[in-house]
Amino acid sequence: MSQRNLFGLFVGIDKYLDPVPPLDGCVNDMRAMRDFIRRKAASLGANYQELVLENSQATRLNITDGIRSHLGKAGPDDLVFFYYSGHGSQERAHEVFWKIEEDRKNETLVCYDSRLADGMDLADKELATLFNEVSKSGAHILTIYDCCNSGGNTRSTFKNRAVTPNLDRTRSLDSYILPADFQTRGMTGASAGQSMDIQMPAPRLVHISAAHSFQLAKETTLGGSPRGVFTYSLLEVLEQSFGPISYLDLARRTQQLVRQRTYDQVPQIYATDSADLHLEFMNDRSTKANRYFSMTHQHGRWQIDAGAIRGIVSGTASEPSLILIFAEDANNQEMANPNSALAQATIEQVYADKSVVIPSGQTWLNPQTAYRARVLSMPIQPVLCAFAGEETGLKVLREVFDKTYEDDPYLQIVGDDQSAKYTVYAESGEIFRIVKQLDTKDWSMVVYQGFRIDQAEKVLADLLRIARWERLLNQRNPNVGHSNMGVRLELWHPSENRKLDLTTDDLTFRHPMGQQVTAFRIRMVNEGFSRQYCSLLYFSAKYGITSNVIPEAGVWLDPGMERWAFDGGPVRLFVDDLFISNGIREIHDTLKLVVSNSEFNPHLFAQPSIDEHVRAVDTDQGVRHRGFSGGSRNMTSDWYSDQITFSVKVE
């Protein structure tokens, strides 16, 4: 394989043309990030090419040309890095974008010359178009923005990277940088008085930003010089990481540092393909997603970044919930071994998005350090599973289970395979099969070849993934309902302006072999009286969980606001070839709405599908709009969930 290229474009603006107020730390941040990427390129052995635009160089034309001409040189095996530090703002959106912009505003980057009489900000729609052009080569793209997109007042020790929104004019549509076919694609079907159905480009990239679009990105004195809180924290995580770090781990650890240093600022991460969240930073190698909680010391107490929404319960005095605490750089193998733990902790109090824990023992824990944690025990109903079949294979299964999974609270092995929901069969030919039992009929899902330790580890890892999928799917808050939270999940006809009736409309969507079915559109609407944080999760028939049904994964909805998935476009469904080739012609998937009055991280729900060999037909033919069973103890009534299960059938 030839040497890879890494193309970097760095924009830092402290000094703007009037009337835009100056900033202090953007150029410092940009140079620090540039220096880190230089070192990263050297460690990768990549052919590094950079373009730096500082202050007056960072005009709208130069930034646009830098993306197209410099980053656009990247090929299919190359790496692309774009960094912007400066003012962010908003502008009034053209009416064709109103369907995808609830507040009818674009989020923008303020270039050096943006606010001249004939100047323009660089809008999010334009950035999507530009990076879509770059992404067509197949390069791996990472973009990082340290700016904010709204104004407001903050404490005097911080300066905001925001400038007054430009809402006095509406740009003409031909002033936007948009795809060449945008107008013919976007204008069709529009009627008077209605916003037009459009589809913006969705380039494949990973994007990390300093804050929500409605929050302020702040700068202050850090390390003896003016710096952005977000960039300083992000680089601190990167510099102190032990080995490769995934994008998701980088984002969650940066969020924790930013929360400790400032207020009302939560860094965000987005990936067009959620699987890319588990890639290594500035690399396209996949990491094995560590399923762990992050434990930090905040506001005088230890807490983990998981709460009732993710199925955590606080337990009782006689049956406490316990976690094991590991070093920040602990790997999967170490975290599977209880003897590698630094200490235990008791889960003391459970909130929607986090849990307070009390470490036990004499081990000193550094309040300035983040730790990894996993559940050791919880008083919950585990998924019942069984082992059956040839003794040679069963011996290998039991050996791995006893070593790694015996105390796992999500999974319980029972002796009677008739009472188990899932059974692992060890069959002749040295084959392991996971079978789901439904109404005395089997749904054989996964096949593993060889009665070996490595194959048994794969079997049990997938079995645990299935158990966690079941737990998250069936988790609900029994103390609160939709009437309390006010947010509703709706399915709409794909082309007609009407909502589907979930009690009478057929939720089995049929398609001919080799084609797709245009099924429905998805809407969340807040009919309540308070602001709520909402996420949509997609639970697939192959036990995968997708967190980015809406691009940001989670969104705040004010009363009366709505949010359409996929920018209001229809969802297209099909039974994929893996099922069809093994005789399965109908599958069942579920959309789950999670609503909370506090922000949580939807990406932590995500898990890849089990894409091995599928054997027989799922006999569960019911199409349901159902609630959840189970629940959590001693938790506040501050979250709610609902779900819709539908079928996809090939004819």
Side-chain angles (χ1 to χ4, degrees), residues 5 35 38 72 96 110 128 154 163 169 180 183 266 296 336 339 369 405 478 483 490 526 594 614 635:
N5 298 304
D35 293 345
R38 286 176 177 175
V96 302
V110 183
T154 60
V163 70
R169 65 170 180 170
Q183 293 202 19
V266 183
T296 55
N339 294 326
T369 299
Y405 298 100
S483 60
E490 300 172 342
N526 188 349
V594 183
V614 185
M635 62 186 179

PDB file of all heavy atoms in Angstrom, residues 5 35 38 72 96 110 128 154 163 169 180 183 266 296 336 339 369 405 478 483 490 526 594 614 635:
ATOM      1  N   ASN A   5      -1.747  10.070   2.480  1.00  0.00           N
ATOM      2  CA  ASN A   5      -1.664  11.516   2.629  1.00  0.00           C
ATOM      3  C   ASN A   5      -2.577  11.969   3.758  1.00  0.00           C
ATOM      4  O   ASN A   5      -3.655  11.399   3.970  1.00  0.00           O
ATOM      5  CB  ASN A   5      -2.082  12.219   1.336  1.00  0.00           C
ATOM      6  CG  ASN A   5      -1.189  11.871   0.168  1.00  0.00           C
ATOM      7  OD1 ASN A   5       0.023  12.049   0.229  1.00  0.00           O
ATOM      8  ND2 ASN A   5      -1.786  11.352  -0.896  1.00  0.00           N
ATOM      9  N   ASP A  35       0.007  21.961  15.537  1.00  0.00           N
ATOM     10  CA  ASP A  35       1.212  21.281  15.996  1.00  0.00           C
ATOM     11  C   ASP A  35       0.919  19.836  16.382  1.00  0.00           C
ATOM     12  O   ASP A  35       1.731  18.934  16.126  1.00  0.00           O
ATOM     13  CB  ASP A  35       1.819  22.027  17.183  1.00  0.00           C
ATOM     14  CG  ASP A  35       2.362  23.399  16.807  1.00  0.00           C
ATOM     15  OD1 ASP A  35       2.526  23.662  15.591  1.00  0.00           O
ATOM     16  OD2 ASP A  35       2.602  24.213  17.719  1.00  0.00           O
ATOM     17  N   ARG A  38       0.484  17.793  13.206  1.00  0.00           N
ATOM     18  CA  ARG A  38       1.796  17.525  12.602  1.00  0.00           C
ATOM     19  C   ARG A  38       2.443  16.309  13.245  1.00  0.00           C
ATOM     20  O   ARG A  38       2.981  15.424  12.559  1.00  0.00           O
ATOM     21  CB  ARG A  38       2.700  18.747  12.765  1.00  0.00           C
ATOM     22  CG  ARG A  38       2.371  19.923  11.845  1.00  0.00           C
ATOM     23  CD  ARG A  38       3.268  21.113  12.162  1.00  0.00           C
ATOM     24  NE  ARG A  38       3.035  22.222  11.255  1.00  0.00           N
ATOM     25  CZ  ARG A  38       3.617  23.426  11.374  1.00  0.00           C
ATOM     26  NH1 ARG A  38       4.463  23.652  12.370  1.00  0.00           N
ATOM     27  NH2 ARG A  38       3.358  24.385  10.493  1.00  0.00           N
ATOM     28  N   GLY A  72      -9.641  18.930  -1.211  1.00  0.00           N
ATOM     29  CA  GLY A  72     -10.201  18.190  -2.341  1.00  0.00           C
ATOM     30  C   GLY A  72      -9.189  17.341  -3.084  1.00  0.00           C
ATOM     31  O   GLY A  72      -9.564  16.539  -3.951  1.00  0.00           O
ATOM     32  N   VAL A  96     -36.640  27.809   1.447  1.00  0.00           N
ATOM     33  CA  VAL A  96     -36.565  26.408   1.012  1.00  0.00           C
ATOM     34  C   VAL A  96     -35.990  25.520   2.110  1.00  0.00           C
ATOM     35  O   VAL A  96     -36.156  24.297   2.075  1.00  0.00           O
ATOM     36  CB  VAL A  96     -35.732  26.247  -0.278  1.00  0.00           C
ATOM     37  CG1 VAL A  96     -36.294  27.074  -1.400  1.00  0.00           C
ATOM     38  CG2 VAL A  96     -34.269  26.572  -0.045  1.00  0.00           C
ATOM     39  N   VAL A 110     -18.259  32.641  10.967  1.00  0.00           N
ATOM     40  CA  VAL A 110     -18.032  34.043  10.622  1.00  0.00           C
ATOM     41  C   VAL A 110     -16.605  34.177  10.103  1.00  0.00           C
ATOM     42  O   VAL A 110     -15.636  34.079  10.875  1.00  0.00           O
ATOM     43  CB  VAL A 110     -18.261  34.962  11.832  1.00  0.00           C
ATOM     44  CG1 VAL A 110     -18.101  36.421  11.425  1.00  0.00           C
ATOM     45  CG2 VAL A 110     -19.656  34.729  12.417  1.00  0.00           C
ATOM     46  N   ALA A 128     -21.823  21.614   4.266  1.00  0.00           N
ATOM     47  CA  ALA A 128     -22.244  20.259   3.901  1.00  0.00           C
ATOM     48  C   ALA A 128     -21.976  19.994   2.423  1.00  0.00           C
ATOM     49  O   ALA A 128     -21.520  18.904   2.039  1.00  0.00           O
ATOM     50  CB  ALA A 128     -23.721  20.060   4.217  1.00  0.00           C
ATOM     51  N   THR A 154     -22.614  36.090  29.443  1.00  0.00           N
ATOM     52  CA  THR A 154     -22.012  35.103  30.331  1.00  0.00           C
ATOM     53  C   THR A 154     -21.183  35.822  31.366  1.00  0.00           C
ATOM     54  O   THR A 154     -21.079  37.042  31.371  1.00  0.00           O
ATOM     55  CB  THR A 154     -21.108  34.125  29.546  1.00  0.00           C
ATOM     56  OG1 THR A 154     -20.072  34.882  28.912  1.00  0.00           O
ATOM     57  CG2 THR A 154     -21.891  33.371  28.491  1.00  0.00           C
ATOM     58  N   VAL A 163     -21.036  35.950  17.735  1.00  0.00           N
ATOM     59  CA  VAL A 163     -21.262  37.311  17.275  1.00  0.00           C
ATOM     60  C   VAL A 163     -22.743  37.449  16.959  1.00  0.00           C
ATOM     61  O   VAL A 163     -23.441  36.456  16.723  1.00  0.00           O
ATOM     62  CB  VAL A 163     -20.387  37.621  16.037  1.00  0.00           C
ATOM     63  CG1 VAL A 163     -20.864  36.852  14.823  1.00  0.00           C
ATOM     64  CG2 VAL A 163     -20.325  39.106  15.768  1.00  0.00           C
ATOM     65  N   ARG A 169     -31.439  40.316   6.994  1.00  0.00           N
ATOM     66  CA  ARG A 169     -31.650  40.045   5.575  1.00  0.00           C
ATOM     67  C   ARG A 169     -31.752  38.549   5.346  1.00  0.00           C
ATOM     68  O   ARG A 169     -31.285  37.745   6.161  1.00  0.00           O
ATOM     69  CB  ARG A 169     -30.498  40.610   4.732  1.00  0.00           C
ATOM     70  CG  ARG A 169     -29.162  39.929   5.023  1.00  0.00           C
ATOM     71  CD  ARG A 169     -28.100  40.326   4.014  1.00  0.00           C
ATOM     72  NE  ARG A 169     -26.832  39.672   4.310  1.00  0.00           N
ATOM     73  CZ  ARG A 169     -25.779  39.681   3.506  1.00  0.00           C
ATOM     74  NH1 ARG A 169     -25.850  40.323   2.352  1.00  0.00           N
ATOM     75  NH2 ARG A 169     -24.663  39.067   3.839  1.00  0.00           N
ATOM     76  N   ALA A 180     -24.975  21.117  -7.580  1.00  0.00           N
ATOM     77  CA  ALA A 180     -25.420  21.583  -8.897  1.00  0.00           C
ATOM     78  C   ALA A 180     -26.858  21.185  -9.187  1.00  0.00           C
ATOM     79  O   ALA A 180     -27.583  21.912  -9.881  1.00  0.00           O
ATOM     80  CB  ALA A 180     -24.489  21.028  -9.980  1.00  0.00           C
ATOM     81  N   GLN A 183     -31.525  22.635  -7.109  1.00  0.00           N
ATOM     82  CA  GLN A 183     -32.806  23.278  -7.419  1.00  0.00           C
ATOM     83  C   GLN A 183     -33.776  22.311  -8.066  1.00  0.00           C
ATOM     84  O   GLN A 183     -34.952  22.283  -7.715  1.00  0.00           O
ATOM     85  CB  GLN A 183     -32.572  24.499  -8.308  1.00  0.00           C
ATOM     86  CG  GLN A 183     -31.820  25.599  -7.584  1.00  0.00           C
ATOM     87  CD  GLN A 183     -32.041  26.960  -8.202  1.00  0.00           C
ATOM     88  OE1 GLN A 183     -32.994  27.176  -8.941  1.00  0.00           O
ATOM     89  NE2 GLN A 183     -31.158  27.893  -7.895  1.00  0.00           N
ATOM     90  N   VAL A 266     -21.692  22.072  26.231  1.00  0.00           N
ATOM     91  CA  VAL A 266     -21.555  20.622  26.104  1.00  0.00           C
ATOM     92  C   VAL A 266     -21.055  20.304  24.695  1.00  0.00           C
ATOM     93  O   VAL A 266     -21.801  20.446  23.724  1.00  0.00           O
ATOM     94  CB  VAL A 266     -22.892  19.893  26.359  1.00  0.00           C
ATOM     95  CG1 VAL A 266     -22.696  18.378  26.282  1.00  0.00           C
ATOM     96  CG2 VAL A 266     -23.485  20.290  27.700  1.00  0.00           C
ATOM     97  N   THR A 296     -16.033  10.022  36.938  1.00  0.00           N
ATOM     98  CA  THR A 296     -15.293  11.249  37.210  1.00  0.00           C
ATOM     99  C   THR A 296     -15.768  11.850  38.529  1.00  0.00           C
ATOM    100  O   THR A 296     -16.846  11.515  39.033  1.00  0.00           O
ATOM    101  CB  THR A 296     -15.496  12.275  36.082  1.00  0.00           C
ATOM    102  OG1 THR A 296     -16.900  12.509  35.907  1.00  0.00           O
ATOM    103  CG2 THR A 296     -14.886  11.790  34.781  1.00  0.00           C
ATOM    104  N   ALA A 336     -12.566  -7.349  31.806  1.00  0.00           N
ATOM    105  CA  ALA A 336     -13.321  -8.595  31.982  1.00  0.00           C
ATOM    106  C   ALA A 336     -12.879  -9.351  33.223  1.00  0.00           C
ATOM    107  O   ALA A 336     -13.578 -10.249  33.694  1.00  0.00           O
ATOM    108  CB  ALA A 336     -13.157  -9.471  30.744  1.00  0.00           C
ATOM    109  N   ASN A 339     -10.220  -9.135  39.017  1.00  0.00           N
ATOM    110  CA  ASN A 339      -8.984  -8.969  39.780  1.00  0.00           C
ATOM    111  C   ASN A 339      -8.141  -7.803  39.285  1.00  0.00           C
ATOM    112  O   ASN A 339      -7.202  -7.377  39.960  1.00  0.00           O
ATOM    113  CB  ASN A 339      -8.157 -10.262  39.724  1.00  0.00           C
ATOM    114  CG  ASN A 339      -8.847 -11.422  40.429  1.00  0.00           C
ATOM    115  OD1 ASN A 339      -9.539 -11.217  41.428  1.00  0.00           O
ATOM    116  ND2 ASN A 339      -8.683 -12.618  39.900  1.00  0.00           N
ATOM    117  N   THR A 369      -8.629  12.651  37.798  1.00  0.00           N
ATOM    118  CA  THR A 369      -8.489  11.596  36.794  1.00  0.00           C
ATOM    119  C   THR A 369      -9.842  10.957  36.492  1.00  0.00           C
ATOM    120  O   THR A 369     -10.683  10.814  37.376  1.00  0.00           O
ATOM    121  CB  THR A 369      -7.520  10.504  37.298  1.00  0.00           C
ATOM    122  OG1 THR A 369      -6.240  11.091  37.525  1.00  0.00           O
ATOM    123  CG2 THR A 369      -7.379   9.373  36.299  1.00  0.00           C
ATOM    124  N   TYR A 405     -17.999 -14.171  32.527  1.00  0.00           N
ATOM    125  CA  TYR A 405     -19.381 -13.707  32.533  1.00  0.00           C
ATOM    126  C   TYR A 405     -20.218 -14.218  33.699  1.00  0.00           C
ATOM    127  O   TYR A 405     -21.405 -13.895  33.791  1.00  0.00           O
ATOM    128  CB  TYR A 405     -20.077 -14.118  31.224  1.00  0.00           C
ATOM    129  CG  TYR A 405     -19.453 -13.510  30.000  1.00  0.00           C
ATOM    130  CD1 TYR A 405     -18.572 -14.241  29.202  1.00  0.00           C
ATOM    131  CD2 TYR A 405     -19.723 -12.196  29.636  1.00  0.00           C
ATOM    132  CE1 TYR A 405     -17.995 -13.688  28.073  1.00  0.00           C
ATOM    133  CE2 TYR A 405     -19.153 -11.636  28.507  1.00  0.00           C
ATOM    134  CZ  TYR A 405     -18.284 -12.384  27.732  1.00  0.00           C
ATOM    135  OH  TYR A 405     -17.710 -11.822  26.623  1.00  0.00           O
ATOM    136  N   PRO A 478     -41.516   3.600  35.083  1.00  0.00           N
ATOM    137  CA  PRO A 478     -42.917   3.347  35.435  1.00  0.00           C
ATOM    138  C   PRO A 478     -43.572   4.513  36.154  1.00  0.00           C
ATOM    139  O   PRO A 478     -44.787   4.521  36.333  1.00  0.00           O
ATOM    140  CB  PRO A 478     -42.819   2.117  36.347  1.00  0.00           C
ATOM    141  CG  PRO A 478     -41.467   2.230  36.974  1.00  0.00           C
ATOM    142  CD  PRO A 478     -40.577   2.817  35.918  1.00  0.00           C
ATOM    143  N   SER A 483     -48.021  11.985  29.062  1.00  0.00           N
ATOM    144  CA  SER A 483     -48.742  13.184  29.488  1.00  0.00           C
ATOM    145  C   SER A 483     -47.890  14.072  30.375  1.00  0.00           C
ATOM    146  O   SER A 483     -48.092  15.282  30.447  1.00  0.00           O
ATOM    147  CB  SER A 483     -50.031  12.790  30.221  1.00  0.00           C
ATOM    148  OG  SER A 483     -49.728  12.003  31.365  1.00  0.00           O
ATOM    149  N   GLU A 490     -44.293   9.979  16.201  1.00  0.00           N
ATOM    150  CA  GLU A 490     -45.326   9.758  15.194  1.00  0.00           C
ATOM    151  C   GLU A 490     -44.712   9.226  13.903  1.00  0.00           C
ATOM    152  O   GLU A 490     -43.592   9.585  13.535  1.00  0.00           O
ATOM    153  CB  GLU A 490     -46.059  11.069  14.878  1.00  0.00           C
ATOM    154  CG  GLU A 490     -46.751  11.703  16.067  1.00  0.00           C
ATOM    155  CD  GLU A 490     -47.299  13.075  15.762  1.00  0.00           C
ATOM    156  OE1 GLU A 490     -46.856  13.693  14.755  1.00  0.00           O
ATOM    157  OE2 GLU A 490     -48.170  13.545  16.517  1.00  0.00           O
ATOM    158  N   ASN A 526     -43.116  18.182  20.457  1.00  0.00           N
ATOM    159  CA  ASN A 526     -43.283  18.487  21.882  1.00  0.00           C
ATOM    160  C   ASN A 526     -44.620  19.179  22.085  1.00  0.00           C
ATOM    161  O   ASN A 526     -44.776  20.359  21.775  1.00  0.00           O
ATOM    162  CB  ASN A 526     -42.136  19.377  22.373  1.00  0.00           C
ATOM    163  CG  ASN A 526     -42.157  19.561  23.888  1.00  0.00           C
ATOM    164  OD1 ASN A 526     -43.118  19.207  24.561  1.00  0.00           O
ATOM    165  ND2 ASN A 526     -41.100  20.137  24.422  1.00  0.00           N
ATOM    166  N   VAL A 594     -36.688   8.368  23.416  1.00  0.00           N
ATOM    167  CA  VAL A 594     -36.277   8.594  24.805  1.00  0.00           C
ATOM    168  C   VAL A 594     -36.296  10.097  25.055  1.00  0.00           C
ATOM    169  O   VAL A 594     -35.695  10.869  24.296  1.00  0.00           O
ATOM    170  CB  VAL A 594     -34.875   8.028  25.094  1.00  0.00           C
ATOM    171  CG1 VAL A 594     -34.527   8.218  26.566  1.00  0.00           C
ATOM    172  CG2 VAL A 594     -34.798   6.553  24.717  1.00  0.00           C
ATOM    173  N   VAL A 614     -27.534 -16.353   9.417  1.00  0.00           N
ATOM    174  CA  VAL A 614     -28.907 -16.473   9.893  1.00  0.00           C
ATOM    175  C   VAL A 614     -29.534 -17.696   9.245  1.00  0.00           C
ATOM    176  O   VAL A 614     -29.362 -17.937   8.067  1.00  0.00           O
ATOM    177  CB  VAL A 614     -29.711 -15.203   9.527  1.00  0.00           C
ATOM    178  CG1 VAL A 614     -31.103 -15.251  10.122  1.00  0.00           C
ATOM    179  CG2 VAL A 614     -28.973 -13.974  10.005  1.00  0.00           C
ATOM    180  N   MET A 635     -35.602   6.219  41.424  1.00  0.00           N
ATOM    181  CA  MET A 635     -35.141   7.193  40.458  1.00  0.00           C
ATOM    182  C   MET A 635     -36.172   8.290  40.320  1.00  0.00           C
ATOM    183  O   MET A 635     -37.348   8.120  40.585  1.00  0.00           O
ATOM    184  CB  MET A 635     -34.894   6.545  39.098  1.00  0.00           C
ATOM    185  CG  MET A 635     -36.121   5.926  38.454  1.00  0.00           C
ATOM    186  SD  MET A 635     -35.672   5.057  36.953  1.00  0.00           S
ATOM    187  CE  MET A 635     -37.271   4.420  36.467  1.00  0.00           C
TER     188      MET A 635
END
